[in-house]
């Protein structure tokens, strides 16, 4: 008797593989493939790798440690301009206008951003939430955290009793190309505006969403898994403001790794418990 035929093996064709990979990337927020220089891939074999970035020693220290856009020569000039523009703002509306007019952050002209994305939520919120940077949907709508990640964040805030008690912003106000992490220089040019926002809003706490936010705001290099769920003391550059700040996991990570939602939820409960304590005990 002839042996029963094996069930046909399922092979993913190249097209299915490519579609599945693209869907995975799109889900992770990667919707553009960018190099620093254009590459003609049609003439195969003539591919020339893009030039290396300037060696670290030639770049100002603030930009040297993390990848991203190279720093322009005048790092301190851009930061000084941001400080002056931020200091002149006396309301959140003034600040949003100053950010929109600011030309010192390279992300503004890096090709992905169409407008500045400043903040959304309650202007007198007790909790300021700081993400890493706007994505495609945020850029299109001009508001932070309005895509899938933002919807998850909003649901978590509602479940924790924080609805209407948060103001949401980012470490940078323009969308980075290809949704890459913002560079230290880009974050440094936006930091004076962020500090001014904190001074104007006077929140009682900061929630730092994701590693690029936690590392930049707290100036620490530990991984997010070591920092999440703990309170750190944030201090303004001029030393006049101090606030408790808690790093937590980014909602985009939670969408990819739903098993980690438990940890993020625990972080939010710890933070809410402290936020709801009478100020003298907090
Ligand atoms: N991710 C962020 O970090 N910020 C946004 O505004 C949107 C997605």
């Amino acid at each position: 008797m002839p042996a029963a035929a094996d069930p046909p093996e399922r092979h993913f064709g190249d097209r299915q593989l490519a579609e599945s990979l693209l869907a995975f990337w799109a889900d992770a927020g990667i919707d553009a493939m960018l190099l620093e220089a254009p590459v003609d891939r049609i003439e195969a074999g003539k591919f020339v790798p893009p030039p290396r970035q300037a060696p670290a020693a030639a770049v100002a220290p603030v930009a040297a440690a993390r990848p991203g856009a190279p720093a322009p020569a005048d790092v301190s000039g851009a930061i000084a301009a941001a400080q002056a523009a931020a200091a002149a703002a006396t309301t959140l509306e003034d600040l949003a206008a100053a950010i929109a007019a600011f030309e010192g952050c390279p992300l503004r002209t890096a090709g992905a951003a169409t407008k500045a994305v400043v903040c959304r939520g309650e202007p007198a919120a007790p909790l300021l939430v700081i993400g890493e940077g706007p994505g495609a949907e945020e850029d299109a709508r001009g508001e932070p955290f309005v895509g899938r990640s933002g919807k998850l964040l909003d649901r978590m805030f509602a479940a924790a009793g924080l609805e209407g008690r948060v103001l949401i912003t980012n470490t940078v106000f323009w969308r980075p190309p290809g949704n890459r992490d913002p560079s230290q220089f880009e974050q440094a040019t936006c930091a004076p505006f962020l500090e001014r926002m904190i001074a104007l809003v006077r929140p009682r706490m900061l929630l730092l969403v994701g590693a690029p936010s936690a590392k930049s705001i707290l100036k620490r290099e530990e991984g997010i898994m070591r920092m999440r769920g703990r309170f750190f003391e944030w201090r303004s550059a001029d030393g006049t403001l101090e606030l408790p700040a808690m790093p937590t996991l980014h909602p985009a990570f939670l969408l990819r790794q739903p098993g980690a939602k438990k940890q993020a939820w625990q972080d939010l409960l710890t933070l809410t418990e402290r936020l709801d304590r009478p100020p003298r005990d907090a």
Side-chain angles (χ1 to χ4, degrees), residues 210-226:
S213 168
K215 289 181 178 186
S216 149
I217 304 293
L218 297 175
K219 313 222 178 334
R220 300 180 76 100
E221 280 304 322
E222 293 118 290
I224 187 70
M225 287 302 180
R226 291 183 71 88

Side-chain angles (χ1 to χ4, degrees), residues 29-82:
I30 299 168
D31 59 1
M33 304 289 162
L34 296 179
L35 289 174
E36 298 295 338
V39 175
D40 182 356
R41 296 187 191 282
I42 296 175
E43 288 194 64
K46 287 196 182 166
F47 174 78
V48 178
R52 285 180 184 276
Q53 290 182 3
V59 175
V62 71
R66 254 189 266 150
D74 188 11
V75 175
S76 50
I79 295 173

Side-chain angles (χ1 to χ4, degrees), residues 117 131-135 138 143-146 149-150 169-170 209 250:
V117 176
E132 60 183 74
E138 288 73 23
E143 288 185 319
F145 278 111
V146 290
S149 293
T169 189
N170 279 305
V209 175
H250 196 286

Side-chain angles (χ1 to χ4, degrees), residues 175-208:
R175 181 188 175 205
N179 287 359
R180 64 161 168 76
D181 290 353
S183 74
Q184 272 184 298
F185 172 71
E186 291 154 356
Q187 290 175 319
T189 52
C190 292
F193 294 111
L194 195 52
E195 290 221 351
R196 188 69 185 142
M197 190 181 296
I198 296 171
L200 291 170
V201 174
R202 293 281 178 154
R204 289 181 37 214
M205 269 174 215
L206 306 177
L207 180 64
L208 312 176

